[in-house]
């Protein structure tokens, strides 16, 4: 439940932001696609932080994006 | 919740309340202010009852202030210690000033979740049935937005513009910035949504499942005599889910509190890295 909501929330915010930029500039699918990609990445980042916080680090949740290429 | 209306064994067969009926918002007193509907609803009623019960409990528990605590005082002390440790471990020495907020939030959600698990008085009118306020996304989302607003205001007040380093960790190669900064911003914006949706979805799903099991019991009891004994199985299922819901009610209040602490700690230490 925790992982799913984190992943979906990232995707949702990315898509909404993309759609907002699209209606602002009138470039219909472009920013939506970019937003969905970035939103998915943000969702994965959320999930990895959630795991890091629950397994080991106390308050050091995901401040260093090491392991990301 | 858990108010399966008794079957009317009349001509038109069985009637059990639908699984979504328990979430209906019903106005108790109609009120409008400037064209906006601000009626006092059953949702508001159970929030007021929850807050009143909390205040009554802590007034009674802290009334005697015995050196050797009684039963009520022990419960209050355990709750206080629990949240105090949580805040101290997560936020650090800056955390003390957030203790009142986190404690209030934790107790409010805990009491709201537990109130939803109290069965309604059989035969009471629908608008006085016990109501789970946290099963409505507007309530949980409002709490989540409150947390994020505090994070933003406190983060900028304490760190100034260095708060924005939260979105650009130090040691980041410059060519990665255009990709990583939007990802970090989206990740930050998604926090209130996942925070609110998690609590709301857990409470909603739990209460629907509970209600469905209860409806199965009613339906099987109204079935031909050969099937009546089968009603035992959904009944046992409903009991098991009910016990599980106690765990979920406590756990979700804890998760909301600890995530609030983690976000506040981000705000407090944004400039450090």
């Amino acid at each position: 439940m925790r992982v799913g909501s984190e992943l979906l929330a990232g995707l949702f915010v990315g898509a909404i932001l993309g759609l907002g930029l699209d209606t602002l500039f009138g470039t219909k699918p472009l920013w939506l696609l970019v937003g969905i990609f970035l939103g998915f990445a943000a969702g994965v980042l959320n999930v990895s932080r959630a795991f890091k916080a629950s397994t080991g680090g106390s308050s050091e949740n995901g401040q260093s994006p090491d392991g990301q290429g | 919740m858990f108010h399966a209306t008794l079957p009317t064994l009349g001509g038109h067969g069985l009637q059990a309340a639908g699984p979504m009926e328990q979430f209906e918002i019903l106005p108790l007193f109609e009120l409008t202010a400037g064209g906006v509907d601000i009626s006092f609803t059953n949702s508001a009623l159970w929030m007021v009852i929850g807050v009143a019960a909390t205040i009554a409990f802590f007034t009674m528990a802290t009334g005697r202030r015995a050196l050797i605590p009684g039963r009520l005082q022990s419960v209050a002390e355990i709750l206080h210690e629990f949240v105090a440790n949580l805040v101290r471990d997560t936020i650090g020495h800056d955390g003390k000033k957030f203790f009142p907020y986190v404690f209030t939030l934790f107790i409010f959600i805990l009491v709201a979740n537990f109130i939803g698990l109290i069965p309604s008085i059989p035969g009471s009118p629908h608008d006085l049935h016990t109501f789970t306020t946290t099963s409505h996304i507007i309530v949980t989302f409002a709490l989540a937005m409150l947390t994020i607003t505090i994070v933003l205001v406190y983060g900028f007040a304490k760190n100034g513009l260095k708060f924005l380093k939260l979105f650009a960790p130090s040691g980041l190669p410059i060519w990665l910035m255009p990709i990583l900064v939007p990802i970090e911003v989206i990740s930050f914006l998604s926090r209130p949504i996942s925070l609110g949706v998690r609590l709301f979805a857990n409470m909603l799903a739990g209460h629907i499942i509970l209600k469905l099991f209860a409806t199965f019991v009613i339906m099987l009891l109204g079935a031909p005599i050969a099937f009546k004994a089968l009603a035992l199985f959904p009944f046992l299922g409903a009991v098991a889910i009910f016990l599980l819901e106690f765990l979920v009610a406590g756990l979700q209040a804890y998760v909301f509190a600890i995530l609030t602490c983690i976000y506040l700690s981000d705000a407090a230490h944004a400039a450090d890295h």
Side-chain angles (χ1 to χ4, degrees), chain B:
Chain B
M1 44 126 302
F2 206 69
H3 51 82
T5 49
L6 290 171
T8 52
L9 295 164
H12 49 277
L14 296 167
Q15 278 182 348
M20 299 309 278
E21 233 166 89
Q22 55 184 325
F23 304 118
E24 260 172 54
I25 299 265
L26 303 160
L28 300 179
F29 313 107
E30 305 275 351
L31 286 175
T32 47
V36 183
D37 186 9
I38 54 160
S39 299
F40 190 78
T41 60
N42 54 348
S43 175
L45 172 71
W46 287 101
M47 279 191 232
V48 170
I49 289 176
V51 172
T54 311
I55 291 172
F57 171 76
F58 279 103
T59 313
M60 281 203 306
T62 55
R64 289 236 318 278
R65 289 185 206 170
L67 192 61
I68 300 159
R71 251 173 293 177
L72 279 182
Q73 200 182 334
S74 301
V75 174
E77 281 179 7
I78 289 170
L79 282 170
H80 177 275
E81 276 301 296
F82 179 68
V83 179
N85 283 338
L86 182 72
V87 170
R88 199 178 312 118
D89 292 346
T90 330
I91 311 181
H93 70 281
D94 288 339
K96 218 162 232 173
K97 51 183 165 249
F98 292 114
F99 173 76
Y101 173 63
V102 177
F103 189 73
T104 312
L105 198 64
F106 177 70
I107 295 293
F108 180 76
I109 296 173
L110 191 71
V111 170
N113 289 354
F114 276 144
I115 278 180
L117 286 173
I118 301 173
S120 308
I121 303 163
S124 58
H126 186 190
D127 42 5
L128 292 180
H129 282 165
T130 50
F131 186 86
T132 325
T133 44
T134 42
S135 69
H136 275 266
I137 191 159
I138 191 64
V139 175
T140 60
F141 191 62
L143 294 175
M145 284 312 288
L146 184 63
T147 291
I148 294 299
T149 311
I150 290 177
V151 167
L152 280 176
V153 170
Y154 176 69
F156 277 116
K158 180 160 186 288
N159 306 307
L161 281 179
K162 279 191 179 157
F163 180 60
L164 293 176
K165 277 174 83 177
L166 193 67
F167 302 126
S170 52
L172 189 68
I174 199 83
W175 55 272
L176 265 178
M177 294 283 256
I179 308 171
L180 261 177
V181 171
I183 290 178
E184 290 280 354
V185 170
I186 292 174
S187 166
F188 183 83
L189 290 179
S190 73
R191 281 171 175 186
I193 293 175
S194 70
L195 200 58
V197 165
R198 189 178 309 113
L199 176 59
F200 146 77
N202 271 294
M203 299 320 288
L204 185 82
H207 283 259
I208 289 176
I209 293 173
L210 207 48
K211 191 53 188 277
L212 283 177
F213 273 97
T215 313
F216 289 157
V217 177
I218 304 289
M219 285 163 82
L220 279 169
L221 281 179
I225 191 83
F227 297 107
K228 274 205 167 67
L230 288 178
L232 182 65
F233 295 109
F235 176 73
L236 289 178
V239 172
I241 297 281
F242 190 71
L243 293 177
L244 182 71
E245 279 304 297
F246 266 98
L247 175 73
V248 170
L251 192 69
Q252 287 306 315
Y254 170 70
V255 166
F256 204 102
I258 197 172
L259 284 177
T260 296
C261 286
I262 289 176
Y263 298 158
L264 285 171
S265 125
D266 273 0
H269 308 300
D272 301 349
H273 53 86

